[in-house]
Amino acid sequence: MFSLSRYAPWARNIALSCIANKHRGNLNQLKTGVIAISALPYARCFADSRQGGNDGKTTNSTARANMENKSEKITVNKEELRKRLTPLQYQVTQEAGTERPFTGCYNKHNEKGMYQCIVCHQDLFSSDTKYDSGCGWPAFNDVVDKGKVTLHRDASIPGGNILLLIAHPERIRTEVRCARCNAHMGHVFEDGPKPTRKRYCINSASIEFVQADTTTSAQAISPQGAPIAQQ
């Protein structure tokens, strides 16, 4: 005779397994929801940083991170700029790219003079503040004038993995741009030498060097004379 009691333990185990799977699915959904909610501030930060790079405007969150801007703004002619700059220079300054470490021409450059923005020729960094940080890019512990650059929160990371920012919020970097033409320069970190403790990690492709004895004559050139920019 067929006995239900014989199969009762087996049926009970199947029922318990189904219930466990159901709750496990709910738990996974709950975890997914918590992760998504936790990622919202970082996603908004990422959107703010990219928006600032696209139109040159800053939101309330990025405005607090900007330095006082003393430079007169100019509008860049993208087409003329493509003709004048190399593909790498354009990618770095206009698309916030990054050159490969230890490949830039100014990484081990030690001459005396001024480093200017490659786009608008504004003085940004002096050779007096340049030092060898070992990071693979030109490093400076200060700018010529704080109004020459603007700072922006940059939540972009390789792969665009926002969940990585949740586990490592310190990876949100501070982007450095030229205050005059909004060209991307690099990033600044809080691990530099005294007295500023700053490390302005700058792409060689975003700057050009003018020797000390020719800096004055180079500054005399009117920005209106440059074909890539109009006031």
Side-chain angles (χ1 to χ4, degrees):
M1 179 181 294
F2 181 81
S3 176
L4 291 177
S5 60
R6 177 181 177 182
Y7 296 93
W10 177 77
R12 182 182 59 186
N13 291 338
I14 291 179
L16 291 175
S17 177
C18 292
I19 294 174
N21 289 334
K22 180 179 179 180
H23 285 289
R24 189 180 297 112
N26 292 337
L27 181 60
N28 290 335
Q29 292 177 358
L30 179 61
K31 289 181 179 179
T32 302
V34 171
I35 292 174
I37 293 174
S38 302
L40 287 178
Y42 300 96
R44 182 173 62 182
C45 179
F46 176 83
D48 291 345
S49 65
R50 294 301 91 193
Q51 180 182 2
N54 291 334
D55 57 13
K57 299 179 181 179
T58 56
T59 61
N60 292 335
S61 61
T62 57
R64 291 192 297 268
N66 290 343
M67 286 182 171
E68 181 184 358
N69 183 9
K70 300 178 182 178
S71 299
E72 185 177 1
K73 295 285 188 180
I74 65 172
T75 301
V76 175
N77 186 319
K78 299 284 188 177
E79 293 303 319
E80 293 295 331
L81 195 60
R82 284 184 182 274
K83 298 177 182 178
R84 183 169 71 84
L85 300 183
T86 66
L88 178 61
Q89 289 172 335
Y90 187 91
Q91 180 189 22
V92 170
T93 59
Q94 304 304 304
E95 300 172 354
T98 302
E99 66 193 16
R100 290 185 294 112
F102 303 102
T103 62
C105 59
Y106 297 128
N107 181 40
K108 297 293 184 180
H109 189 260
N110 298 314
E111 295 184 30
K112 292 294 183 179
M114 191 69 63
Y115 294 87
Q116 301 178 340
C117 171
I118 191 67
V119 175
C120 67
H121 311 294
Q122 175 177 229
D123 290 348
L124 297 178
F125 302 97
S126 169
S127 59
D128 295 335
T129 62
K130 191 175 188 296
Y131 71 101
D132 187 3
S133 67
C135 66
W137 292 274
F140 306 85
N141 66 4
D142 207 352
V143 293
V144 173
D145 186 278
K146 294 193 186 316
K148 300 289 188 180
V149 299
T150 57
L151 304 182
H152 308 262
R153 288 173 61 88
D154 183 5
S156 63
I157 57 176
N161 188 352
I162 297 179
L163 295 182
L164 186 60
L165 290 178
I166 298 177
H168 301 281
E170 71 279 2
R171 296 199 180 193
I172 297 180
R173 301 171 297 175
T174 301
E175 180 189 9
V176 181
R177 299 183 198 156
C178 174
R180 193 176 185 208
C181 66
N182 203 43
H184 173 78
M185 296 287 114
H187 295 85
V188 60
F189 303 92
E190 305 290 335
D191 56 6
K194 294 180 179 180
T196 63
R197 297 293 187 183
K198 302 289 186 182
R199 174 170 61 93
Y200 288 87
C201 186
I202 306 300
N203 292 279
S204 292
S206 64
I207 54 178
E208 63 181 352
F209 177 75
V210 179
Q211 290 184 345
D213 57 347
T214 60
T215 301
T216 302
S217 60
Q219 287 180 319
I221 300 176
S222 173
Q224 288 89 341
I228 54 91
Q230 301 95 23
Q231 294 290 346

